[in-house]
């Protein structure tokens, strides 16, 4: 489905993705989106392979779309539930992964609240020469590559639905607003959008966007990354606005006076959208705190909101990613 040979066995982070890899994902996703819109909606691309979904923290969209994507590719699925697993009896996460390896898992999709867990499991699988691929479905405050890639596809396919490519991002102003400090989604999106040539403007209260945050980004892109502690300069003439959920479960300190004050200063509303380009589009990775990050009426307005498109595209993107690592030449 893609002319570019794919050699990446694991997908842990977008920090080291090449332009060819990004474009391979975009092209392959377009093909699978056509499949999902067809009558059959299913292909035998991973028939005979086993995909284990190992989610050590709650998830709705990511887990469901990975499982549906695997089914659409005709793979067999092993579901993992921490509360009913041997973890409650003292088994380690690594031993759990080895158990699924012994059951014949070819791909393990792993989400964990601690950064680095998917990488550690990938390194162990490589030591064992297992041939198993590890997919990071979100680890701590580190990365969420599939969400970053589905957001990327949503933007690029809107710009050119027939041929979504990274070059379409060049010169586009994209604002990311919200709890950037705690967001693994933001980190993945920053990697992909800057790699495509976009101008990226981050906006949040200082407690959720410290000055040092910029130092974590690749130095090659520093001239296109801007930090703001007020909303208006980030939104002025923006082509896309991505607003992020306030991750209260990850906040260990009182970082905001109140949700009401946050909405007044950083909430995306029809009024604040007036600062953007007239044809601006809004994204949100979900779940959404309605009336906090974004006004409820704006979230449901198809003229501006791409939120439903993101959910739909999530299945096609994850089909593409499972297909690519499931057929890796590495």
């Amino acid at each position: 489905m893609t002319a570019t040979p794919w050699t990446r066995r694991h997908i842990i982070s977008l920090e080291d993705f090449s332009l060819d890899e990004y474009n391979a994902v975009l092209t392959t996703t377009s093909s699978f989106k056509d499949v999902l819109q067809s009558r059959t909606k299913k292909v035998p691309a991973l028939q005979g392979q086993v995909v284990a979904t190992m989610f050590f923290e709650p998830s709705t969209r990511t887990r469901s779309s990975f499982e549906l994507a695997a089914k659409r590719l005709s793979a067999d699925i092993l579901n993992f539930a921490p509360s009913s697993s041997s973890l409650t009896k003292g088994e380690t996460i690594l031993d759990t992964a080895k158990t699924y390896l012994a059951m014949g898992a070819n791909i393990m999709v792993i989400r964990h609240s601690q950064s680095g867990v998917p990488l550690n499991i990938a390194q162990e699988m490589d030591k064992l020469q297992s041939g198993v691929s590890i997919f990071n479905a979100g680890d701590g405050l580190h990365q969420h590559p599939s969400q970053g890639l589905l957001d990327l596809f949503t933007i690029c396919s809107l710009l050119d639905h027939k041929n979504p490519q990274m070059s379409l991002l060049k010169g586009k102003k994209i604002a990311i607003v919200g709890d950037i400090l705690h967001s693994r989604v933001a980190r993945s999106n920053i990697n992909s959008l800057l790699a495509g040539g976009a101008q990226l403007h981050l906006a949040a209260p200082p407690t959720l966007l410290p000055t040092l945050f910029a130092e974590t980004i690749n130095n090659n892109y520093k001239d296109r990354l801007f930090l703001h502690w007020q909303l208006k300069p980030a939104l002025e003439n923006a082509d896309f606005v991505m607003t992020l959920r306030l991750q209260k479960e990850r906040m260990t300190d009182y970082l905001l006076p109140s949700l009401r004050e946050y909405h007044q200063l950083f909430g995306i509303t029809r009024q604040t959208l007036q600062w953007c380009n007239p044809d601006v589009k809004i994204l949100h990775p979900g779940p959404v705190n309605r009336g906090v990050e974004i006004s409820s009426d704006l979230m449901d307005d198809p003229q501006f909101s791409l939120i439903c498109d993101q959910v739909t595209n999530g299945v096609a993107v994850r089909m593409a990613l499972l297909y690519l690592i499931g057929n890796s030449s590495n």
Side-chain angles (χ1 to χ4, degrees), residues 86-113:
S86 293
L87 287 177
T88 61
K89 302 176 182 178
E91 182 175 80
T92 68
I93 295 172
L94 185 56
D95 283 338
T96 300
K98 289 180 178 178
T99 297
Y100 279 108
L101 171 63
M103 291 181 183
N106 304 102
I107 301 173
M108 298 180 189
V109 181
I110 300 172
R111 168 173 283 198
H112 200 279
S113 60

Side-chain angles (χ1 to χ4, degrees), residues 63-250:
R63 180 168 195 155
S64 297
S65 61
F66 263 117
E67 291 177 356
L68 183 56
K71 290 177 181 177
R72 294 294 188 224
L73 295 170
S74 303
D76 296 316
I77 301 172
L78 286 171
N79 290 310
F80 169 81
S83 61
S84 58
S85 74
S86 293
L87 287 177
T88 61
K89 302 176 182 178
E91 182 175 80
T92 68
I93 295 172
L94 185 56
D95 283 338
T96 300
K98 289 180 178 178
T99 297
Y100 279 108
L101 171 63
M103 291 181 183
N106 304 102
I107 301 173
M108 298 180 189
V109 181
I110 300 172
R111 168 173 283 198
H112 200 279
S113 60
Q114 297 296 317
S115 301
V117 169
L119 175 60
N120 290 338
I121 294 176
Q123 291 171 337
E124 185 64 24
M125 291 296 142
D126 288 345
K127 287 180 184 177
L128 296 173
Q129 298 182 332
S130 66
V132 170
S133 292
I134 302 299
F135 200 111
N136 178 11
D139 64 329
L141 306 183
H142 177 223
Q143 286 269 323
H144 194 345
S146 66
Q147 183 67 49
L149 290 168
L150 77 86
D151 293 340
L152 178 70
F153 178 80
T154 300
I155 292 172
C156 290
S157 61
L158 180 71
L159 296 172
D160 186 344
H161 72 279
K162 291 184 178 179
N163 186 30
Q165 294 290 309
M166 290 291 281
S167 58
L168 296 166
L169 295 174
K170 190 172 183 179
K172 297 296 181 183
K173 179 176 179 177
I174 301 176
I176 300 181
V177 181
D179 187 2
I180 295 169
L181 177 63
H182 300 97
S183 178
R184 54 197 176 202
V185 173
R187 287 164 172 80
S188 291
N189 274 295
I190 289 169
N191 291 145
S192 62
L193 297 174
L194 287 177
Q199 288 190 8
L200 208 52
H201 292 253
L202 313 181
T207 52
L208 300 180
L209 182 59
T211 305
L212 293 176
F213 184 87
E215 296 182 7
T216 66
I217 308 304
N218 190 322
N219 284 324
N220 294 332
Y221 304 137
K222 289 293 179 66
D223 61 329
R224 289 185 282 106
L225 179 67
F226 305 91
L227 275 59
H228 305 279
W229 294 278
Q230 292 182 331
L231 185 59
K232 186 175 181 179
L235 295 193
E236 285 178 327
N237 300 315
D239 300 293
F240 296 91
V241 177
M242 180 181 299
T243 180
L244 303 172
R245 181 174 67 91
L246 290 179
Q247 301 189 46
K248 292 172 284 187
E249 74 277 10
R250 298 187 195 280

